[in-house]
Amino acid sequence: MYSPPETGSQNRGIVESVRGSVIIARFPEGLPAIDNRLLAGDDGAVVAEVVTHLSEDSVQAVALTPVQGLSRGAPAIDSGTPIQVPVGERLLGRMFNVFGDAIDGKEAVSGGEWRSIHSDPVSLTQQVTKSEIFATGIKAVDVMAPLERGGKAGLFGGAGVGKTVLITEMIHNVVGQYEGTSIFCGIGERSREGEELYREMRDAGVLDNTVMIFGQMNEPPGARFRVGHAGLTMAEYFREDLKRDVLLLIDNIFRFIQAGQEVSGLLGELPSRVGYQPTLATELAELEERICTTQNGAITSVQAVYVPADDFTDPSAVHTFSHLSSTIVLSRKRSSEGLYPAIDPLASGSKMLVPAVVGRRHYDVSREVRRTLASYEELKDIIAMLGLEELSQEDRKTVFRARRLERFLTQPFFTTEQFTSYEGKMVSLEDALTGCERILNDDFMDYPESVLYMIGTIDEARIGQ
């Protein structure tokens, strides 16, 4: 099952106890190092990771595979190395689990270079401190919630509002614009979701520049907890060795925290606030701080974020937000109105949206768009009760501008051409800002709203006049 190059001490011990996914093993001839991979059982089928030294000759390990059939007295072998995954271009177009095993039904990946899933974040002296915009070619994102190159963006949304479509379009645009690589990391994904995403990416033609790695919902918490580190190891190779920009998509970062909570409970650690693990902040930082920009390239991450019970004061949400530079909120209401991508421009935002980073023009346009849309939201109740005719002339103009802005911020995607019959469009930031400016200046007040729906640049609106 698990076949990286075998190195290390092959130190032998015996299993002393098995409690859930926690294994205690005794090694009379020397303790395995923390994070070392243990192979337990008569056939070595149970893979575990050392997490604690309990005494001078015993260790505590968390199993990353099911422990059925493992009993006291069974052999435990220290491989002498941490868990390793394969790296390199040979991974493109493939799907893996936390051990680097192919789970797409194709031939196994063997030989070549394998690397430990554990590594320290890049030191501050090696990081590029200049803030740069990561253009996605998607108008609503680039204008209202620009992503940071080498930063982390949170993607919020329920089922069926277009998270997967937005992710596949970002992958398509990154491959075309940056000649980069995409890595999709599914943490706690349902098996159905992984299989559907694989087929959708294949049909959309973006799979050949993508690596997919999954720790599925039915796997032990140890595997789900480490799959993010495995995905980052693959991403770091593309950044440092092949000098490429990498788009790392994580779905869902809350499942990583949840897996850590389960592991902590199994280890008997005293829970912290709301039952979370006492090491929550450290564990999340160890993962998030590896996502950064260096002289060689950047790892830019888009992370789906589940907020428990919509409580933004929940410790998992608070600690996740502290790492994010952009938040993209998908709205079911906009989705039901047919406004795709269903990004809520008022709820979305970015730390990058300051004049010093994006420039005064971008800052002013985005603020004016936000102000116009916010005014329209306030006027909706009056319109519903009294009608548009009862508004003042100025308020009526605001409504006209807002409705045209809403439609201009829609966009046909390349990855949905076969479903919508709209030809996909990729729009530069300059063209998106120009379009918003012209709508705000009332250039399209005499045009029907429909000519601005599902177009790319603003010049295309003239065709439908």
Side-chain angles (χ1 to χ4, degrees):
M1 180 185 109
Y2 178 54
S3 56
E6 290 294 341
T7 58
S9 62
Q10 298 290 313
N11 182 15
R12 289 185 161 273
I14 61 166
V15 173
E16 286 204 326
S17 74
V18 182
R19 293 197 306 273
S21 293
V22 177
I23 299 167
I24 295 177
R26 190 162 59 83
F27 287 85
E29 297 178 10
L31 287 177
I34 298 290
D35 292 334
N36 267 18
R37 174 174 53 96
L38 301 184
L39 302 175
D42 295 328
D43 53 359
V46 179
V47 183
E49 186 178 58
V50 176
V51 291
T52 319
H53 289 162
L54 295 177
S55 67
E56 60 187 19
D57 66 351
S58 64
V59 297
Q60 197 171 31
V62 172
L64 278 70
T65 57
V67 295
Q68 281 91 341
L70 189 63
S71 60
R72 290 185 64 186
I77 301 172
D78 170 23
S79 66
T81 61
I83 292 163
Q84 296 175 313
V85 290
V87 293
E89 290 199 3
R90 59 201 171 123
L91 309 185
L92 293 173
R94 303 296 305 275
M95 185 193 290
F96 300 94
N97 64 12
V98 69
F99 303 113
D101 295 327
I103 55 173
D104 53 6
K106 299 178 183 175
E107 72 279 0
V109 172
S110 59
E113 187 174 357
W114 292 63
R115 289 190 179 177
S116 165
I117 66 171
H118 300 283
S119 69
D120 295 326
V122 177
S123 67
L124 288 173
T125 55
Q126 294 175 288
Q127 291 185 28
V128 175
T129 54
K130 181 184 175 186
S131 293
E132 292 181 65
I133 294 298
F134 182 86
T136 63
I138 300 169
K139 291 180 286 190
V141 173
D142 291 344
V143 174
M144 303 306 295
L147 272 54
E148 179 184 9
R149 182 172 178 263
K152 290 152 284 247
L155 182 60
F156 302 82
V161 293
K163 285 200 301 294
T164 302
V165 172
L166 195 59
I167 282 172
T168 52
E169 186 70 7
M170 282 184 177
I171 290 173
H172 177 279
N173 292 357
V174 165
V175 170
Q177 186 172 347
Y178 292 93
E179 295 180 359
T181 302
S182 302
I183 295 182
F184 183 90
C185 185
I187 304 176
E189 287 276 283
R190 298 171 185 86
S191 303
R192 170 188 59 78
E193 289 174 331
E195 193 269 340
E196 285 178 0
L197 186 65
Y198 179 83
R199 279 192 288 107
E200 285 172 16
M201 286 187 171
R202 184 189 61 201
D203 295 344
V206 299
L207 188 62
D208 290 341
N209 283 287
T210 307
V211 182
M212 303 179 75
I213 180 165
F214 287 94
Q216 296 171 86
M217 201 174 271
N218 62 335
E219 294 183 37
R224 284 181 271 126
F225 185 61
R226 288 304 183 202
V227 73
H229 299 82
L232 262 170
T233 299
M234 296 173 177
E236 285 166 346
Y237 179 88
F238 284 106
R239 181 189 66 192
E240 297 302 323
D241 293 61
L242 300 182
K243 295 179 171 49
R244 292 186 191 171
D245 278 0
V246 181
L247 180 64
L248 175 67
L249 302 133
I250 301 176
D251 189 6
N252 186 306
I253 203 68
F254 173 75
R255 303 289 178 210
F256 166 76
I257 294 171
Q258 196 175 44
Q261 183 181 12
E262 292 176 51
V263 169
S264 176
L266 289 166
L267 294 174
E269 293 175 350
L270 194 66
S272 182
R273 193 160 72 91
V274 202
Y276 285 102
Q277 61 271 43
T279 50
L280 167 59
T282 308
E283 289 170 358
L284 189 60
E286 282 175 353
L287 185 77
E288 297 280 13
E289 292 305 311
R290 289 171 66 180
I291 301 169
C292 64
T293 306
T294 68
Q295 298 288 352
N296 296 319
I299 298 175
T300 304
S301 176
V302 178
Q303 308 172 4
V305 183
Y306 169 70
V307 181
D310 291 334
D311 178 12
F312 285 84
T313 64
D314 187 271
S316 67
V318 170
H319 286 290
T320 302
F321 287 142
S322 67
H323 293 278
L324 300 178
S325 53
S326 306
T327 54
I328 301 167
V329 179
L330 296 177
S331 157
R332 192 171 301 282
K333 182 171 177 289
R334 291 179 69 82
S335 175
S336 66
E337 293 171 357
L339 299 174
Y340 291 106
I343 294 168
D344 185 338
L346 295 178
S348 304
S350 171
K351 292 178 183 175
M352 304 296 288
L353 210 52
V354 291
V357 177
V358 299
R360 172 57 64 177
R361 180 193 178 209
H362 185 171
Y363 176 72
D364 288 343
V365 170
S366 66
R367 281 196 65 182
E368 189 59 26
V369 169
R370 193 178 296 274
R371 189 193 67 77
T372 303
L373 294 174
S375 299
Y376 177 42
E377 282 298 316
E378 292 171 3
L379 293 168
K380 277 183 176 177
D381 288 342
I382 298 173
I383 296 169
M385 287 186 291
L386 304 175
L388 190 64
E389 296 74 21
E390 298 301 315
L391 296 179
S392 67
Q393 193 67 33
E394 191 54 45
D395 283 346
R396 224 180 292 182
K397 282 186 177 180
T398 298
V399 171
F400 288 157
R401 288 186 203 119
R403 289 182 63 84
R404 281 157 179 75
L405 282 169
E406 282 185 337
R407 278 144 189 79
F408 178 64
L409 291 176
T410 63
Q411 187 170 340
F413 283 173
F414 292 96
T415 53
T416 58
E417 283 181 1
Q418 66 268 42
F419 308 117
T420 63
S421 75
Y422 287 108
E423 183 186 346
K425 306 285 184 184
M426 190 169 169
V427 184
S428 69
L429 176 59
E430 175 64 28
D431 288 338
L433 291 175
T434 300
C436 291
E437 277 179 333
R438 293 185 61 188
I439 292 170
L440 291 168
N441 291 335
D442 293 338
D443 287 8
F444 293 87
M445 194 62 78
D446 298 328
Y447 282 56
E449 296 168 2
S450 58
V451 304
L452 295 166
Y453 180 70
M454 283 294 174
I455 62 171
T457 64
I458 197 73
D459 292 333
E460 295 174 32
R462 299 190 180 280
I463 299 167
Q465 190 182 12

